[in-house]
Every structure is written in structure tokens, then in C-alpha cells.
Amino acid sequence: MNTQRDISKRLLRLFPVKVLKEHFNSTNVSDELYNEILNGNSKPTIDSFCYVNLEHTKQHIYIYNIGQTPTPNNLNINQFPIDIVHQTNLNGVTSITISPIVDFRVILTNPFEETTLRFHQPIQILLSNTHLIFYATILEKNMSNYFDQNRRVINAEKVNDEISIIEQVCAHLAHLNPTVCDLNRGIKQLWANDLVDSKYAKWKKDRSTTTETMDENYTLKSQYPDVYQNLVNAPLRKMIFKYLRDDEALPDHFTVDPSSGQISIPLFSKNANQNKNVVREILSNN
């Protein structure tokens, strides 16, 4: 259940089938595809593919301001709290990829069993002169996909998660003074420019928190411009945005919690640039 092959297979499942088929020149799908890749390639080859193609995965993104410019000397790479699996420095941006093991404690019936599933969770860490950004690959939530159909998962609990990993890295980089980046200004500018409109909005009033959920394909600004005018002057909480253009520069939709500096993209990107384009557009207008 947790052999190296099992864990490598779960890592491959984090990627779109289309990307796997193109890279490994396969026509198979589902388990046949994963098994072909595992049988025909070494673990270093598979790991190398995964860790340089994370932009194709579903991602949680955490953005921090930093108060000191990172340098090779002050990053203390040799004492990094989690093993580094890939590292580059390009145009003044340091990229560090880590792949900690995350455990899920699972309880099953038919028959009753308590077990643990282990996953690699790749996380790319980008350090520029002004920001520390974590791109954490979203893991499969449905543990039933990893067991026979006659088994029923009655509980699945993540033992360690990306938040604890991010806290460890931030503690290691405390001398850079990382602080949560407020994204309100940037996402509001994208909204004002009609690049995006909201499907779900949560914002803070003086004495309450308000939510608005739109039906079907309707969006908030187009249907309720008066509500839009009111809420853009308030701190935004969880927001689900729809991208309004047809050029595939950004994902079709994504979630932002601007006051927490967090973005969630729960779908596979249509190209290698979409996820980072969301961050770039928000920060360039922030």
C-alpha cells in the first residue's frame, strides 16, 4: 500500500493525463498509463518530470511579502528544514522545490480496517526581491479512489498538511521577515478592469460578514452593480472569480482569500502559464 511504486504512482496521478501521455509518448489511460510509465522509467526520471512540471497541477498558493532581499548566503540552503528536490535561480528569482511526505489516516469497512496512505506533496517555493510564494500541489481528497470498489471509506484524516510545512519554511526564513500579502488591491483592480467577475463573494462589513452566491452562469458585478460598488470598498474574504476572456491566459475560475494572501486553483491548467499568470496579474496591480 505504501511501497515506493505506490507512492510514485500517486505522485503521477497529480498530473493531467494529457500531459503524461504527451511527455511519456503513451496512448494508454488510467492504470495502464501509470503502470506503463512506472515500468518503463526509473524513479529519478519520473521524479525529474514531476518536479519541473508542477505548473500543470492543481494548486493552493500562499503569498507573503518579505522585508529583506534573499541572497544565496542568507537562505541557509544547507540547513533547509525539508529536503530540496529541485532548485534554480533565474533572473533574480530563486525557485526551491520540496516534496514532503503527507499521511492520510483512513478507516475502511468491508472489512473494517485502519490504514495509512502516504503521498508526496510537491511544493514550489519562489523567492523574489519582494515576495515569498508557495505553490502547493493539491492532493486527492477522495481516498476511495485508492481502494477496491467494494471497500467503503468511512473516515479520512490528513495527519500533516501543507500549512505545517509552510510554517516550517517561514520559520527558517524568519530573518527575511515574511508577512501575509494582502491581495485586496490587486484582485479589485482585475475586477474593475473586467478581467474577472465573482461567482461567490464574502466580505466584511463593520459589524458582520456578508456572502453572495450567484446562480448558474450569472456573475455579481454584471447582475448587481450596486452590490459590487459597496463591497469593493470593504476587505474581501473568500471570493470565487470567473475569468471573462477567451484567451486562456488565466484559469476559467479560481478562488482568492485576499486578506489571507491565498489563491486556490482547483482545476488542471490549460497551459503551463495560467497559475503563475494569476499571481502575476494580481501582484502587478497590488
Side-chain angles (χ1 to χ4, degrees):
M1 186 59 68
N2 289 308
T3 65
Q4 186 57 66
R5 182 184 176 93
D6 292 331
I7 296 172
S8 291
K9 186 174 182 179
R10 291 170 198 148
L11 179 61
L12 287 170
R13 288 180 61 156
L14 299 176
F15 291 83
V17 167
K18 179 182 178 182
V19 172
L20 294 175
K21 291 173 69 173
E22 289 176 353
H23 182 85
F24 292 101
N25 193 28
S26 174
T27 58
N28 284 321
V29 294
S30 303
D31 272 356
E32 289 79 7
L33 171 63
Y34 305 128
N35 289 333
E36 178 187 2
I37 295 171
L38 291 166
N39 292 336
N41 298 273
S42 66
K43 182 180 182 300
T45 298
I46 292 171
D47 288 350
S48 177
F49 159 78
C50 292
Y51 297 142
V52 300
N53 287 284
L54 296 179
E55 63 271 11
H56 293 288
T57 64
K58 306 171 185 179
Q59 293 182 327
H60 292 147
I61 305 168
Y62 303 80
I63 305 176
Y64 294 81
N65 298 312
I66 51 176
Q68 182 178 337
T69 301
T71 66
N73 291 331
N74 68 20
L75 291 181
N76 299 322
I77 293 298
N78 292 335
Q79 299 175 3
F80 212 74
I82 297 113
D83 289 342
I84 295 172
V85 297
H86 186 70
Q87 181 182 350
T88 62
N89 193 304
L90 184 64
N91 298 325
V93 177
T94 297
S95 171
I96 297 170
T97 301
I98 58 178
S99 190
I101 289 291
V102 174
D103 290 338
F104 281 82
R105 186 179 296 118
V106 182
I107 301 177
L108 302 135
T109 60
N110 298 325
F112 180 85
E113 179 186 1
E114 294 185 30
T115 189
T116 297
L117 288 185
R118 313 202 83 188
F119 294 80
H120 276 291
Q121 183 171 25
I123 301 174
Q124 184 185 30
I125 305 164
L126 293 187
L127 282 146
S128 68
N129 291 338
T130 54
H131 293 95
L132 165 63
I133 307 175
F134 296 85
Y135 292 84
T137 297
I138 299 175
L139 298 181
E140 172 71 62
K141 291 182 178 179
N142 187 0
M143 293 295 106
S144 297
N145 291 336
Y146 297 96
F147 297 95
D148 293 338
Q149 291 183 353
N150 64 320
R151 306 297 302 277
R152 180 177 168 229
V153 174
I154 57 176
N155 189 59
E157 177 185 0
K158 191 184 293 185
V159 179
N160 50 325
D161 60 17
E162 63 206 47
I163 299 300
S164 63
I165 302 298
I166 289 169
E167 289 174 347
Q168 290 181 56
V169 175
C170 284
H172 175 75
L173 300 174
H175 56 285
L176 300 182
N177 190 28
T179 56
V180 170
C181 181
D182 189 318
L183 304 176
N184 272 280
R185 182 177 179 182
I187 193 62
K188 288 176 182 179
Q189 189 60 54
L190 268 61
W191 205 354
N193 293 343
D194 292 324
L195 263 71
V196 298
D197 201 355
S198 178
K199 294 286 297 175
Y200 171 91
K202 184 176 183 180
W203 68 99
K204 190 76 174 71
K205 292 183 177 179
D206 289 340
R207 299 179 182 177
S208 64
T209 299
T210 302
T211 61
E212 188 77 54
T213 303
M214 302 302 296
D215 291 338
E216 299 178 3
N217 293 320
Y218 296 112
T219 53
L220 190 145
K221 182 180 177 182
S222 65
Q223 300 299 313
Y224 302 129
D226 52 335
V227 175
Y228 164 78
Q229 290 297 333
N230 288 330
L231 74 86
V232 291
N233 295 315
L236 302 179
R237 299 297 193 246
K238 180 180 178 181
M239 307 287 297
I240 300 176
F241 284 103
K242 177 181 179 181
Y243 183 51
L244 298 180
R245 297 184 178 176
D246 295 326
D247 55 13
E248 297 186 355
L250 302 187
D252 291 340
H253 65 269
F254 56 92
T255 300
V256 184
D257 187 341
S259 300
S260 298
Q262 297 180 16
I263 303 169
S264 179
I265 305 175
L267 65 166
F268 290 127
S269 61
K270 293 182 178 179
N271 59 63
N273 300 315
Q274 282 189 330
N275 293 4
K276 286 187 172 64
N277 283 348
V278 173
V279 174
R280 189 178 299 111
E281 286 287 345
I282 292 175
L283 290 182
S284 66
N285 288 280
N286 215 34

